[in-house]
Amino acid sequence: MNAAQFRKHGKEVIDAIADYYENLDNISPVPNVKSGYLYKLVPDEAPENPESFETVKADIETKIMPGMTHWQSGNFFAWYPSSSSFPSIIGDMYSSMFSIVGFSWISSLAATELETVVMDWLGKLLGLDKRFLAINEDGTENKGGGAIQTTASGAMVTMIATARDRFLESLTMQQAIGEDDVARLRPRFVAYFSDQTHSSGEKAANVIGCKARILPSNDDFSLTKEVLMAAVEQDKKSGLIPFFVCGTFGTTNTAAIDDIPGIADVAADNNMWLHIDAAYAGGALVCPEFRPLASGIERADSISINAHKWLLTNFDCSALWVADSTHLVNSMGIRREYLPRVKGDTSFVKDYRDWQIPLGRRFRALKLWFVMRMYGASGIRAHIREHVIQAKWLEERLLADGRFEIMAPVVFGLVVFRIKPTALSEHDRADKDVINKANIDLAELINNEGRVFILSTMLKGKVALRATIGAVHGSLKNVEVLLTVLQKHFAAAINHELVIKDANDNDSSLPCIPSFFTDV
Ligand SMILES: *Cc1c(COP(=O)(O)O)cnc(C)c1O
């Protein structure tokens, strides 16, 4: 493809993208295929001879589209949203244009400096403490700052490794420790999470080879100071080394908020690293009215917020801030002769490869820059508030219906609910498993119909349904559709009328996703 052909076909693709977004409401967000469908549709090998653009493009429609889960659909209420906006797509196009590998300042000056700028902009927009900013008010450099990671999970691994190395460093300063001592100490390191912390916490502990203590959350699904403190005390007595705790602002299951000030106290008393995982709900902090809920995060060592979840920026764009980048750079910075550093005056020189696990990095700052400039702070706030209004609307309607109960406070764009036991027959409501099954069946009936997509989860033994409102291109109309389908399938769910469809036995024309709901 030469530039002239790219000019032509690129414009056709822009049209296809715009058409897609304009027609999202007309397609099912749930795919309608059996597993392995694609292997049967495509050749076994890459083509020997070049194919035309038209041929490949046609396959997007006929082969890829049917197997897509449409995350951008306003009728997609599963997991947490994955943002996408036109300004962000445009920023990404420019990023593709440059196709840099921006691992250091020398390798990509503008990309590095723009990243510092947009991370400070975003930090200020979210009202983060000035400890987390890279540039002080007087224009001098600060120890803190942010860098864009691929995902919140990546940020978690990066921070837990940094925390371990900081702790080892502080030990070295107190006493002489050799390599053997370090090897002996490492397995005694213990990191703390709650049973509601995102799975990436436990995974990060596995990756660095430390113990993960999964503490019980309380009745409102948050981790409390008392529970953490007791565990830390007990572990210290048994010779373990507490070094890291993750506090969550907006858990994945219910958007619960941990007792962050309490956790910060325990972290401070025990020289532990405090990481705040605000992957989803952190986006709400652009609106000042949500900031009191996040009190205590100013005391964290690191904060992670996914711009790709609720801040209009397409995947991947996970913002990570640290209060003191020295620890991060000490942990992640490895020297090699092919990675030259700036000599002499290194002020305002950042090598972001030392702020993350991989070496290479995309020019992601561009999409955040386009989003922040083209929406403006006011536009981003309006976007968040609109979703919260829609979530409250859904909550109100579910309560007004009388047959549902709300399982966790509706604070952000997430509504967690279930069929009220009293809506079941007297016989059924006495059996926990039957109540759970009715809720799973409701989700499954809805997803089999395929107009909307929701998920179930398990909260302390109770199955609940999760509906997240956050689609950039969605509106209240989509939430109305959700309410309609919930009511439509209600009777079938409580009357045990679900016919289990096997994804691999799909002879119906209805969308069919495998049964992957919580087992009871
Ligand atoms: C979604 C989520 C994550 C993981 O996000 P990735 O960027 O996909 O790794 C982590 N923590 C919380 C609280 C989340 O909701």
Side-chain angles (χ1 to χ4, degrees):
M1 194 185 283
N2 60 30
Q5 288 162 326
F6 175 72
R7 201 181 295 280
K8 177 170 179 290
H9 299 321
K11 284 173 187 160
E12 289 168 36
V13 173
I14 296 284
D15 279 339
I17 295 172
D19 288 345
Y20 175 77
Y21 279 95
E22 278 182 346
N23 288 296
L24 273 172
D25 278 353
N26 304 326
I27 50 176
S28 166
V30 184
N32 178 19
V33 290
K34 308 180 210 178
S35 56
Y37 88 100
L38 192 56
Y39 306 113
K40 300 191 185 102
L41 292 179
V42 297
D44 294 339
E45 287 176 37
E48 179 64 27
N49 296 311
E51 294 185 90
S52 72
F53 167 76
E54 286 75 16
T55 320
V56 187
K57 182 170 185 274
D59 282 356
I60 296 274
E61 287 303 323
T62 55
K63 302 191 165 77
I64 302 302
M65 272 306 176
M68 285 305 296
T69 302
H70 297 285
W71 282 69
Q72 300 312 320
S73 163
N75 294 330
F76 178 98
F77 298 99
W79 296 290
Y80 275 138
S82 170
S83 278
S84 173
S85 67
F86 293 126
S88 167
I89 293 176
I90 287 173
D92 223 7
M93 286 165 65
Y94 275 114
S95 172
S96 291
M97 176 176 92
F98 293 120
S99 283
I100 54 157
V101 188
F103 49 79
S104 66
W105 185 81
I106 295 178
S107 74
S108 308
L109 284 70
T112 300
E113 298 201 2
L114 186 65
E115 186 154 333
T116 310
V117 170
V118 295
M119 287 301 287
D120 268 16
W121 279 18
L122 185 59
K124 288 177 192 168
L125 206 59
L126 294 161
L128 298 188
D129 191 88
K130 51 183 190 297
R131 293 169 68 225
F132 297 101
L133 303 180
I135 313 289
N136 296 315
E137 272 159 37
D138 62 4
T140 56
E141 267 187 295
N142 186 25
K143 283 192 297 186
I148 304 173
Q149 312 283 318
T150 52
T151 59
S153 313
M156 185 82 83
V157 180
T158 314
M159 285 302 107
I160 201 166
T162 299
R164 177 201 58 199
D165 291 342
R166 179 185 73 166
F167 201 96
L168 282 170
E169 201 186 298
S170 69
L171 285 181
T172 323
M173 286 193 298
Q174 292 160 21
Q175 62 205 72
I177 323 190
E179 260 175 47
D180 288 349
D181 298 312
V182 170
R184 194 172 43 76
L185 288 173
R186 276 192 182 193
R188 282 165 47 196
F189 275 55
V190 53
Y192 297 84
F193 308 97
S194 88
D195 54 19
Q196 299 297 308
T197 304
H198 188 262
S199 56
S200 54
E202 191 173 340
K203 189 185 270 193
N206 289 344
V207 168
I208 71 151
C210 72
K211 290 190 180 13
R213 269 275 237 150
I214 314 288
L215 304 170
S217 57
N218 70 359
D219 288 345
D220 61 13
F221 309 107
S222 64
L223 176 61
T224 62
K225 177 179 182 174
E226 290 68 33
V227 169
L228 175 65
M229 202 158 65
V232 168
E233 289 310 319
Q234 190 193 337
D235 285 347
K236 278 175 132 179
K237 274 192 202 118
S238 40
L240 297 177
I241 305 173
F243 77 105
F244 177 94
V245 57
C246 173
T248 305
F249 179 72
T251 59
T252 311
N253 258 338
T254 63
I257 301 167
D258 286 341
D259 170 16
I260 295 171
I263 295 173
D265 288 344
V266 181
D269 290 347
N270 294 280
N271 190 25
M272 291 158 75
W273 187 282
L274 172 58
H275 178 67
I276 296 296
D277 179 2
Y280 161 69
L285 300 177
V286 293
C287 305
E289 64 270 28
F290 288 103
R291 291 183 196 156
L293 298 173
S295 83
I297 68 169
E298 69 284 353
R299 296 166 65 193
D301 294 291
S302 51
I303 301 175
S304 140
I305 296 177
N306 280 348
H308 63 236
K309 268 189 176 154
W310 207 6
L311 291 176
L312 297 149
T313 312
N314 46 325
F315 192 87
D316 46 9
C317 192
S318 181
L320 172 69
W321 288 271
V322 289
D324 183 351
S325 60
T326 326
H327 305 299
L328 181 54
V329 172
N330 284 350
S331 179
M332 296 288 142
I334 307 270
R335 295 189 167 227
R336 287 293 182 272
E337 61 284 359
Y338 47 79
L339 299 172
R341 286 180 193 275
V342 172
K343 292 205 180 73
D345 181 11
T346 56
S347 49
F348 299 101
V349 172
K350 287 192 192 320
D351 292 336
Y352 278 127
R353 66 183 157 88
D354 299 341
W355 293 56
Q356 61 173 23
I357 292 168
L359 175 76
R361 56 205 325 277
R362 302 180 67 227
F363 195 169
R364 296 193 195 87
L366 279 171
K367 46 188 179 184
L368 258 183
W369 201 41
F370 269 90
V371 165
M372 285 192 278
R373 293 182 66 181
M374 296 189 67
Y375 280 91
S378 59
I380 301 173
R381 283 187 210 113
H383 158 82
I384 296 283
R385 285 176 184 142
E386 181 56 34
H387 291 151
V388 178
I389 289 169
Q390 290 173 19
K392 299 256 190 216
W393 181 90
L394 178 63
E395 176 190 27
E396 229 168 74
R397 292 306 152 112
L398 289 172
L399 290 173
D401 176 292
R403 295 172 297 175
F404 297 95
E405 63 182 346
I406 301 294
M407 304 296 284
V410 179
V411 181
F412 306 107
L414 174 66
V415 184
V416 190
F417 60 98
R418 70 166 185 168
I419 299 172
K420 240 186 193 171
T422 50
L424 273 67
S425 72
E426 218 155 297
H427 173 266
D428 285 353
R429 80 179 68 145
D431 187 339
K432 193 171 100 313
D433 291 345
V434 175
I435 303 170
N436 280 346
K437 179 148 185 335
N439 280 285
I440 290 176
D441 286 2
L442 180 56
E444 206 146 344
L445 284 157
I446 288 170
N447 293 337
N448 278 343
E449 183 194 18
R451 278 182 79 194
V452 308
F453 188 22
I454 60 167
L455 284 181
S456 61
T457 189
M458 181 71 97
L459 302 174
K460 302 198 190 280
K462 294 176 184 165
V463 169
L465 307 188
R466 283 174 87 266
T468 313
I469 293 150
V472 175
H473 301 267
S475 70
L476 186 61
K477 282 211 181 77
N478 301 99
V479 189
E480 288 168 359
V481 173
L482 170 62
L483 184 66
T484 310
V485 299
L486 279 166
Q487 292 169 333
K488 174 178 161 190
H489 293 289
F490 190 90
I494 64 164
N495 294 324
H496 321 294
E497 285 166 18
L498 174 70
V499 183
I500 295 286
K501 277 200 306 167
D502 181 346
N504 290 313
D505 175 29
N506 182 9
D507 53 9
S508 105
S509 58
L510 285 174
C512 180
I513 55 164
S515 284
F516 56 76
F517 294 95
T518 317
D519 284 329
V520 286

